[in-house]
C-alpha cells in the first residue's frame, strides 16, 4: 500500500468536504458551473482550518475489516511501531492471536493519531488553493448538485459554532419547538426523573414522568439531561443522523 497516495486521497476528501461547506453558506443563485472562475474565487478567498472537529470525519474514512487493518498496518510500518497479526495474507481472520481486544483498540487509536498528525503536516491553505485550481473543473458539478439538493430540502438545524454551546443550543431548540418533543424524551434520563419524583412522594399512578416532562420541560432538561457536549455531538451524528456542517452547526434533512 502506498501510504503517501492514501494520505493524498484522504486529504482530497477533506478538501471536497471543506468546499461543500463553504458553498453551503453562499448564495445558491450565484453558484453555476458555467461560472467556475467565480466559484474558484469564492473558495480561494476563504481561510480554512483542519481542527479537531474533523477527526471523526477522518477516522470514518478508514475502511472496515481487512482493508482497514492493512491501512493501519501500513501506518505502523511507516512510523516503526508494532502491530498485531489479525489476518493472514489472504485476508482470513486468524483464530489465535496474542493481542487482547484492549491492546488492539489502543493500537487502532494510536494509528488514528499518527494518521491525523501526518494529514496536519500536509494540510495548508496553499495546498487547498492548488487543489481547487487543479480539480475544480472535474468536481464542480457533483458538489453543486449536493449543495443545491441540501438547500432545496427542508432541514432541521441545531446552530452552534463552539461545541461548549451545543447542549444549550439543543435544549433551546426543543424549548422553541424547532426540535420535536420526542428528542426531549430520548435525551433526558427518564429513569432518573422518575426516581426523583418518587423521592418527592409523587403518586405516579396519577402523574407520571411524562406528565412532569411536559409540564416542566425546561427544568427537566437542566436537571436530567443525559449527555455532555461531546457525547451529545456523537449521539446526534451517529444515532440520529445529523450532519456536522462547518460554520452552521448540526443539520438533518426532515
Amino acid at each position: 500500500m502506498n501510504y503517501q497516495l492514501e494520505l493524498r486521497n484522504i486529504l482530497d476528501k477533506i478538501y471536497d468536504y471543506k468546499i461543500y461547506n463553504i458553498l453551503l453558506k453562499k448564495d445558491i443563485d450565484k453558484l453555476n458551473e458555467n461560472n467556475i472562475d467565480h466559484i474558484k474565487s469564492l473558495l480561494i478567498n476563504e481561510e480554512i482550518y483542519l481542527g479537531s472537529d474533523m477527526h471523526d470525519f477522518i477516522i470514518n474514512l478508514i475502511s472496515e475489516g481487512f482493508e482497514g487493518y492493512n491501512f493501519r498496518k501500513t501506518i505502523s510500518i511507516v512510523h516503526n511501531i508494532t502491530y498485531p497479526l489479525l489476518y493472514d495474507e489472504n485476508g482470513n481472520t486468524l483464530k489465535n492471536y496474542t493481542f487482547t481486544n484492549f491492546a488492539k483498540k489502543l493500537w487502532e487509536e494510536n494509528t488514528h493519531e499518527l494518521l491525523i498528525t501526518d494529514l496536519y503536516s500536509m494540510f495548508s491553505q496553499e495546498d487547498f488553493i492548488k487543489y481547487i485550481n487543479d480539480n475544480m473543473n472535474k468536481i464542480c458539478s457533483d458538489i453543486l448538485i449536493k449543495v443545491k439538493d441540501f438547500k432545496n430540502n427542508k432541514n432541521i438545524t441545531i446552530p452552534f459554532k463552539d461545541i461548549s454551546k451545543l447542549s444549550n443550543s439543543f435544549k433551546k431548540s426543543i424549548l422553541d419547538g424547532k426540535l420535536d418533543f420526542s428528542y426531549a424524551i430520548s435525551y433526558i434520563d427518564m429513569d432518573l426523573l422518575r426516581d426523583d419524583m418518587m423521592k418527592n412522594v409523587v403518586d405516579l399512578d396519577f402523574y407520571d414522568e411524562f406528565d412532569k416532562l411536559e409540564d416542566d420541560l425546561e427544568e427537566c432538561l437542566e436537571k436530567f439531561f443525559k449527555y455532555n457536549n461531546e457525547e451529545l455531538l456523537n449521539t446526534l451524528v451517529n444515532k440520529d443522523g445529523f450532519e456536522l456542517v462547518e460554520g452552521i452547526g448540526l443539520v438533518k434533512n426532515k
Side-chain angles (χ1 to χ4, degrees), residues 16-213:
D16 287 347
Y17 180 80
K18 293 288 183 182
I19 290 168
Y20 171 73
N21 278 282
I22 291 169
L23 296 181
L24 273 179
K25 294 179 279 184
K26 302 301 180 182
D27 185 349
I28 193 171
D29 293 331
K30 295 181 180 178
L31 300 180
N32 189 316
E33 62 181 293
N34 294 321
N35 192 4
I36 290 181
D37 288 340
H38 170 67
I39 294 173
K40 284 184 180 178
S41 178
L42 288 174
L43 295 168
I44 287 170
N45 285 295
E46 287 282 339
E47 194 167 0
I48 62 164
Y49 303 93
L50 182 56
S52 60
D53 58 307
M54 291 294 294
H55 289 187
D56 285 344
F57 175 85
I58 292 167
I59 293 167
N60 287 336
L61 292 176
I62 301 175
S63 300
E64 298 291 331
F66 182 58
E67 188 176 345
Y69 166 78
N70 267 342
F71 182 53
R72 294 186 180 94
K73 177 181 172 182
T74 300
I75 296 172
S76 301
I77 292 171
V78 168
H79 288 277
N80 196 28
I81 64 171
T82 59
Y83 56 88
L85 296 175
L86 304 179
Y87 297 88
D88 65 21
E89 60 184 11
N90 296 316
N92 300 310
T93 304
L94 297 176
K95 294 181 179 179
N96 297 309
Y97 52 83
T98 57
F99 265 62
T100 64
N101 286 333
F102 179 69
K104 175 175 172 285
K105 183 174 177 58
L106 285 178
W107 167 69
E108 289 178 347
E109 290 176 352
N110 192 16
T111 58
H112 295 166
E113 291 174 6
L114 292 169
L115 170 63
I116 289 168
T117 299
D118 290 339
L119 288 167
Y120 266 88
S121 70
M122 295 174 65
F123 181 96
S124 70
Q125 187 77 30
E126 293 75 18
D127 193 57
F128 177 62
I129 291 171
K130 184 177 184 304
Y131 178 77
I132 291 168
N133 287 327
D134 291 347
N135 296 280
M136 202 61 210
N137 289 352
K138 293 182 288 185
I139 66 175
C140 185
S141 178
D142 287 343
I143 289 182
L144 286 182
I145 288 171
K146 291 178 183 177
V147 169
K148 290 176 180 179
D149 283 348
F150 181 87
K151 287 197 170 190
N152 288 331
N153 287 324
K154 293 182 178 179
N155 53 70
I156 306 168
T157 302
I158 305 170
F160 75 98
K161 293 184 178 178
D162 183 341
I163 193 170
S164 66
K165 309 294 185 185
L166 176 56
S167 291
N168 287 338
S169 180
F170 178 75
K171 293 171 186 176
K172 187 175 187 302
S173 295
I174 294 174
L175 292 170
D176 292 345
K178 294 177 182 177
L179 284 177
D180 190 79
F181 183 73
S182 61
Y183 281 95
I185 297 173
S186 297
Y187 285 81
I188 281 175
D189 191 327
M190 299 300 287
D191 291 333
L192 193 60
L193 172 54
R194 183 181 180 88
D195 290 344
D196 185 75
M197 293 174 69
M198 292 174 67
K199 287 177 185 176
N200 288 288
V201 199
V202 176
D203 188 341
L204 297 177
D205 290 331
F206 294 95
Y207 187 80
D208 64 17
E209 63 270 32
F210 296 97
D211 296 321
K212 171 71 174 176
L213 180 58

